[in-house]
Amino acid sequence: MTKEEVAEILDDIATLLELQGENPFRANAYRNGARAVKNLPGDLGEMVRQGQLTHVPGIGSTLREQIASLVTTGRLPFYDELKASVPQGALQMLRLPGIGPKKVRALQQAGITDLEQLQQACQKGQVAAMKGFGEKTQQKILEGLAFLGEVGQRVRIDQATPIGQRLLQAVRSFPTVIRAELAGSLRRRRETCKDIDIVCSGDDAHAILQAFASRSEVRQVVGLGDTKCSVILEEVVDGHRIVINADLRVVTDEQFPAALVYFTGSKEFNIQLRRRALARGWSLNEYELNDGRRAIPLRHEADLFAALDLDFIPPELREDTGEIDAADRTTAPRSARLPRLIEVQDIRGVFHNHTTYSDGAATLEEMAHAARQLGFEYLGIADHSQSLTVARGLSPERVRQQLADIDALNRKFRGFKLLKGCEVDILVDGRLDYPDDLLAEFDYVVASVHTHFGLSEEQMTERICRAVRHPLVSMLGHATGRLLLRREGYRVNLDRVLQAASEAGTMIEINAQPTRLELDWHYCKRAKSLGIPLVINPDAHSVGELNYYVYGVDVARRGWLEADDVFNTRSLQEVQKAFRTQRKP
DNA sequence: GCCGTTTTCGGCCCGACTGTTTTCAGTCG
């Protein structure tokens, strides 16, 4: 069982305990445990066997035993019993806005155990009559039922970003607004967002909130108070209708720095920051940092960090995975420091891109032109290999033709070069889809899994490790095959894959397609610690998709990567040299 | 359930908003 699966079960247990009306702190302990497991460095099975879970904060004796049971037997009787005692419908009710564990419990005790019964009870007016409920709650449930599956779903970052940017510009243009910034997961550049958070400072909060609530893209005003407005937006992005929540919070300009930190989160990061303030007898909330006598004057976010003896922590790192310790100015000698994160302009080229030769929409020439427009020094072409017929994978003859075309084009370029690569399929047994003599003709080779997703974890891990160890493979393509919000990745032990890559000197791709965004940032951090170079690749199938590399930079930043950790920050010469030396005879 | 330079028991971040209430519980972030 993978770390992710174990973490999900612990998280489920937390939810089930809440639904049972258990002590909320006990439930929270399971959520913390889930997070701790997810962030563990290394192979969970190995750590359990070695007894290394003993010193992990957030995992005590009970969780340790339960995790061991899950890892060694794949089962946890406690979880099974808990699951059996809570009706499936209860979990679905939790997805309704405004409905939490307490209300679900009340409904269950009234004999309403699934969504269908809930709808009927609301229509008959029975829910409004229950203690603690009322007309409005009943109406809200009915509205929630109508939009279930639409509102409250997470949205990909490439879809949320343009909506957030437009909204932010609008807020900045409202009269009396002084400062405004995106906050929340969008500012932390998470792969997906549940809502769009904006914080602003201004003199007339009422007018600002009114202007926000009256925007044309607002479908519904969910809440409107003195300092805060919550709406549901409906917008079309790239031809897709997106429904997403948006919150605006208005504070005074003196409060803005503390508010921005607070609403940027993450929640776990905020808790740690607040604990740090408490530890010195201070207090921190969304308005101010107070030393017990007065609010400490803050002009910018960095002032708040400095007041707590911390270096400025970039939003992408605020996940409570060690960034506060790394930023701590009081520990001497500094054991760990915050990384100087990679930036978009550090990228000099990308390696995994398709053309009309296989399933791309643009020709070699068009792709090269677009890459030069982006200021790249080089562009790697890596079309699909022969067995991937659905993507018009290239036969050896066709791909040799492509290599000749690239040579011809390169003779025309000054200060720019097309690099010759391929995205070779990793066959079901871990062999590659081209013979070695052909692979040796490329400048570099990306190896990816596109078929047989249903293998067991053991088989898939072996399959990928074998490809990663192949002396002609330069980098592993999209490491787990996940499609965000649509498909889980295949079952694979990534810790073993990383180990194999580290030993073989094989690089690993950060696939910057916003539908994929893997290697997941948790593992980027781990890859870095193993000395594996990461490669940001847009996996572009058209000219426009070359721009996706910026989302790969987001992932890299969340994974603590510096420019030196990412292969495509190197110059053309360095890249070519590295590819050559990677292939030891 | 976890955790400990105040503690092995008694805490566990904290405020806004809503709706159902006559003073506050539940939800949310």
Side-chain angles (χ1 to χ4, degrees):
Chain A
M1 193 173 277
T2 65
K3 275 187 290 229
E4 288 76 12
E5 288 169 320
V6 171
E8 205 174 313
I9 288 174
L10 295 179
D11 223 38
D12 275 355
I13 290 175
T15 305
L16 292 167
L17 288 173
E18 281 173 350
L19 283 171
Q20 287 208 325
E22 255 288 349
N23 173 4
F25 294 108
R26 186 179 172 212
N28 206 32
Y30 277 94
R31 284 201 205 288
N32 281 335
R35 251 171 48 81
V37 167
K38 219 171 158 183
N39 288 320
L40 282 176
D43 180 32
L44 182 58
E46 198 53 36
M47 292 184 83
V48 167
R49 274 187 294 280
Q50 308 270 339
Q52 288 170 341
L53 290 185
T54 321
H55 304 296
V56 179
I59 300 177
S61 57
T62 305
L63 261 70
R64 196 162 60 238
E65 280 170 30
Q66 294 180 340
I67 292 165
S69 166
L70 283 168
V71 168
T72 52
T73 70
R75 302 215 65 84
L76 180 59
F78 168 61
Y79 174 54
D80 295 334
E81 290 159 23
L82 203 54
K83 222 166 38 169
S85 71
V86 176
Q88 211 39 46
L91 290 166
Q92 292 166 344
M93 287 181 198
L94 267 187
R95 291 170 51 210
L96 294 164
I99 301 298
K102 298 274 170 61
K103 285 214 156 61
V104 170
R105 219 170 125 69
L107 289 165
Q108 300 280 317
Q109 280 164 353
I112 301 168
T113 56
D114 63 37
L115 292 181
E116 200 162 324
Q117 291 173 11
L118 180 59
Q119 183 157 25
Q120 286 167 5
C122 285
Q123 281 159 350
K124 288 186 207 152
Q126 292 165 344
V127 170
M130 288 172 58
K131 186 173 157 56
F133 291 73
E135 280 297 336
K136 293 236 176 139
T137 306
Q138 180 171 273
Q139 192 53 37
K140 224 173 165 177
I141 290 173
L142 281 171
E143 283 166 17
L145 284 167
F147 294 134
L148 205 67
E150 197 174 4
V151 176
Q153 302 283 46
R154 301 193 75 91
V155 168
R156 293 200 318 259
I157 190 170
D158 60 311
Q159 299 171 321
T161 298
I163 297 176
Q165 283 297 342
R166 273 201 293 274
L167 203 55
L168 177 64
Q169 292 312 320
V171 169
R172 283 178 174 160
S173 75
F174 294 159
T176 82
V177 166
I178 301 164
R179 290 189 270 180
E181 292 291 345
L182 290 175
S185 52
L186 196 50
R187 182 163 183 244
R188 301 199 313 279
R189 305 304 293 166
R190 269 195 64 174
E191 306 90 319
T192 60
C193 307
K194 200 158 155 284
D195 50 21
I196 291 168
D197 292 301
I198 298 179
V199 183
C200 81
S201 61
D203 296 326
D204 189 348
H206 182 73
I208 293 168
L209 292 168
Q210 281 298 333
F212 181 76
S214 343
R215 302 245 338 142
S216 63
E217 65 269 37
V218 170
R219 178 160 109 182
Q220 192 189 329
V221 178
V222 181
L224 179 58
D226 295 333
T227 64
K228 181 180 164 181
C229 178
S230 206
V231 299
I232 296 172
L233 297 177
E234 184 174 333
E235 281 207 60
V236 175
V237 178
D238 295 336
H240 294 277
R241 200 173 62 98
I242 306 292
V243 176
I244 188 167
N245 287 289
D247 293 332
L248 176 66
R249 186 60 171 263
V250 186
V251 295
T252 67
D253 206 51
E254 293 71 42
Q255 295 167 336
F256 187 79
L260 184 56
V261 168
Y262 182 85
F263 289 104
T264 297
S266 65
K267 198 171 93 177
E268 292 79 10
F269 173 82
N270 286 348
I271 290 170
Q272 291 308 327
L273 212 56
R274 191 164 285 154
R275 285 211 182 121
R276 188 177 175 89
L278 285 175
R280 53 184 69 189
W282 297 6
S283 70
L284 173 66
N285 60 26
E286 60 242 70
Y287 301 120
E288 61 178 33
L289 178 63
N290 194 302
D291 67 5
R293 291 168 301 140
R294 58 171 194 135
I296 295 169
L298 308 169
R299 179 69 195 128
H300 300 287
E301 243 187 351
D303 302 335
L304 190 152
F305 288 109
L308 290 169
D309 289 317
L310 294 170
D311 291 334
F312 178 80
I313 301 175
E316 293 93 331
L317 300 188
R318 301 182 195 171
E319 297 291 343
D320 185 25
T321 58
E323 67 277 9
I324 292 180
D325 283 344
D328 196 331
R329 293 175 180 173
T330 61
T331 48
R334 297 285 289 274
S335 48
R337 278 186 178 272
L338 285 175
R340 179 194 288 267
L341 296 181
I342 181 175
E343 298 187 21
V344 167
Q345 52 269 28
D346 292 326
I347 299 293
R348 301 203 197 184
V350 290
F351 300 97
H352 176 183
N353 304 289
H354 299 272
T355 70
T356 47
Y357 264 91
S358 69
D359 61 350
T363 62
L364 273 176
E365 206 158 2
E366 289 164 341
M367 292 295 278
H369 179 69
R372 300 181 79 174
Q373 296 289 105
L374 287 172
F376 287 166
E377 290 174 29
Y378 48 86
L379 176 74
I381 300 298
D383 270 314
H384 291 290
S385 61
Q386 52 190 350
S387 77
L388 201 65
T389 49
V390 288
R392 307 206 302 133
L394 305 183
S395 66
E397 295 70 37
R398 288 269 297 150
V399 79
R400 285 195 167 103
Q401 177 60 50
Q402 185 185 44
L403 297 183
D405 284 359
I406 291 176
D407 283 333
L409 279 171
N410 273 337
R411 284 193 281 275
K412 294 198 278 182
F413 296 139
R414 285 267 159 75
F416 175 82
K417 187 161 182 146
L418 282 176
L419 293 173
K420 295 182 277 190
C422 68
E423 185 185 18
V424 69
D425 252 57
I426 300 174
L427 303 175
V428 65
D429 59 359
R431 286 180 304 124
L432 302 178
D433 192 27
Y434 283 143
D436 286 359
D437 61 335
L438 176 54
L439 291 175
E441 291 179 39
F442 297 98
D443 294 325
Y444 66 95
V445 171
V446 184
S448 305
V449 164
H450 291 109
T451 56
H452 299 98
F453 284 15
L455 297 186
S456 70
E457 183 185 327
E458 184 58 33
Q459 288 172 313
M460 189 61 93
T461 305
E462 268 313 305
R463 174 190 186 186
I464 295 175
C465 284
R466 185 173 171 192
V468 157
R469 291 193 195 101
H470 192 291
L472 291 170
V473 168
S474 322
M475 60 187 81
L476 174 69
H478 39 77
T480 69
R482 78 173 176 191
L483 293 178
L484 288 168
L485 309 175
R486 279 173 50 203
R487 179 179 83 198
E488 297 271 321
Y490 32 76
R491 297 164 51 81
V492 59
N493 185 325
L494 275 178
D495 290 297
R496 278 174 55 197
V497 172
L498 293 187
Q499 197 58 47
S502 168
E503 287 159 12
T506 304
M507 299 186 267
I508 296 196
E509 167 183 281
I510 296 174
N511 190 295
Q513 282 276 333
T515 52
R516 293 186 183 271
L517 296 180
E518 54 171 343
L519 196 61
D520 187 279
W521 63 271
H522 293 90
Y523 285 96
C524 288
K525 220 172 159 180
R526 227 162 285 152
K528 173 179 178 167
S529 72
L530 290 169
I532 302 168
L534 283 300
V535 190
I536 294 173
N537 278 326
D539 194 358
H541 286 70
S542 68
V543 164
E545 288 186 5
L546 278 175
N547 285 302
Y548 284 164
Y549 76 98
V550 299
Y551 298 111
V553 175
D554 288 333
V555 174
R557 288 172 64 88
R558 290 178 60 77
W560 292 52
L561 301 188
E562 308 193 335
D564 281 349
D565 304 319
V566 176
F567 185 62
N568 29 358
T569 61
R570 302 191 196 175
S571 70
L572 174 63
Q573 275 196 335
E574 291 170 318
V575 159
Q576 288 179 305
K577 188 175 165 204
F579 281 143
R580 279 196 301 271
T581 52
Q582 206 184 17
R583 298 181 166 178
K584 294 174 209 84

